[in-house]
Amino acid sequence: MSTVSIATPVGFGSSSCGYCTSPGERVAGSSFKKAGLVASRLSCGVYQRMIDRGWRRSGTYCYLPGPKYSCCPHYTIKLDALVFKPSRNQRKLVNRWNRFIKLGDDMDIDQDRETARPPKLTSVFCLTSKIHLSERDFVPETEKSRHNFEVTLEHSSYTDEKYNLYVTYQTEIHHDPDNTPIDFKRFLVRTPLI
């Protein structure tokens, strides 16, 4: 049984751009949308096809940017996680992070360098295992770490901590200090995705 997607078209539109304008100088109508819709329900398959065609989503509002008439170009940043191969610098950074979690700051690493550094392996770098190496749930109970690193995945939700971070970001990056908990929920918590 397939999921039915339901949306209401709202047509083209424009808004002010929060990226290229100076503080206090937001220009109305500087970011154009060729098409827009408010989604009540979207299957992940339909949403993926929309993304592949250049659509963006903000809460339940979906829009197709109109770069020809907008002040800033929209860059699509996509990563196919199944074929991603980390660069040498990325691998070094993951290893450095894992050493930091296990051993502490740079001084501690220098003191324990001989005993802590694992021998070089000639095997292929496995991002999945390396990225989880320092997580508390993956560290054997017999091993001690100087730092405790824990990853928690959760559904999008409202908390005061998340809201305060959002307000700080909106104020400092987009020069938009007028945000409410309702704005936060509309933008980051509400979703039409099934």
Side-chain angles (χ1 to χ4, degrees), residues 5-26:
S5 295
I6 302 170
T8 304
V10 294
F12 64 89
S14 66
S15 62
S16 60
C17 178
Y19 290 100
C20 68
T21 53
S22 299
E25 298 178 14
R26 295 188 66 151

Side-chain angles (χ1 to χ4, degrees), residues 81-142:
L82 298 177
V83 297
F84 173 72
K85 301 283 186 242
S87 69
R88 181 175 183 217
N89 284 341
Q90 289 166 331
R91 292 190 310 266
K92 286 171 68 175
L93 185 61
V94 169
N95 289 330
R96 183 176 169 197
W97 170 256
N98 288 335
R99 279 194 307 274
F100 172 77
I101 294 299
K102 185 174 182 176
L103 304 173
D105 62 22
D106 289 340
M107 184 186 313
D108 295 328
I109 289 173
D110 288 339
Q111 290 173 349
D112 298 329
R113 186 175 300 275
E114 295 304 316
T115 58
R117 187 170 289 206
K120 288 195 174 190
L121 303 174
T122 56
S123 64
V124 176
F125 180 89
C126 177
L127 181 62
T128 305
S129 63
K130 288 287 189 178
I131 208 78
H132 292 295
L133 192 62
S134 60
E135 285 182 52
R136 182 171 68 184
D137 290 343
F138 291 86
V139 175
E141 289 182 19
T142 57

Side-chain angles (χ1 to χ4, degrees), residues 27-181:
V27 179
S30 56
S31 181
F32 289 87
K33 284 105 178 146
K34 292 193 283 187
L37 59 87
V38 176
S40 300
R41 294 170 51 110
L42 278 181
S43 71
C44 291
V46 167
Y47 182 54
Q48 182 62 56
R49 288 192 295 279
M50 290 173 69
I51 290 172
D52 291 342
R53 289 175 176 83
W55 284 74
R56 306 285 191 275
R57 182 177 67 85
S58 174
T60 59
Y61 176 64
C62 300
Y63 60 96
L64 182 61
K68 183 176 181 182
Y69 301 106
S70 293
C71 54
C72 294
H74 291 232
Y75 297 104
T76 301
I77 301 171
K78 292 173 75 173
L79 172 66
D80 187 342
L82 298 177
V83 297
F84 173 72
K85 301 283 186 242
S87 69
R88 181 175 183 217
N89 284 341
Q90 289 166 331
R91 292 190 310 266
K92 286 171 68 175
L93 185 61
V94 169
N95 289 330
R96 183 176 169 197
W97 170 256
N98 288 335
R99 279 194 307 274
F100 172 77
I101 294 299
K102 185 174 182 176
L103 304 173
D105 62 22
D106 289 340
M107 184 186 313
D108 295 328
I109 289 173
D110 288 339
Q111 290 173 349
D112 298 329
R113 186 175 300 275
E114 295 304 316
T115 58
R117 187 170 289 206
K120 288 195 174 190
L121 303 174
T122 56
S123 64
V124 176
F125 180 89
C126 177
L127 181 62
T128 305
S129 63
K130 288 287 189 178
I131 208 78
H132 292 295
L133 192 62
S134 60
E135 285 182 52
R136 182 171 68 184
D137 290 343
F138 291 86
V139 175
E141 289 182 19
T142 57
E143 288 186 25
K144 297 288 184 198
S145 293
R146 294 257 170 97
H147 297 282
N148 185 22
F149 176 61
E150 185 175 3
V151 175
T152 304
L153 300 177
E154 60 182 57
H155 291 283
S156 58
S157 61
Y158 176 89
T159 65
D160 288 337
E161 182 182 19
K162 292 175 189 176
Y163 171 67
N164 290 331
L165 180 62
Y166 168 76
V167 168
T168 301
Y169 172 80
Q170 287 295 104
T171 303
E172 293 183 14
I173 303 301
H174 295 291
H175 316 294
D176 181 13
D178 302 321
N179 290 282
T180 66

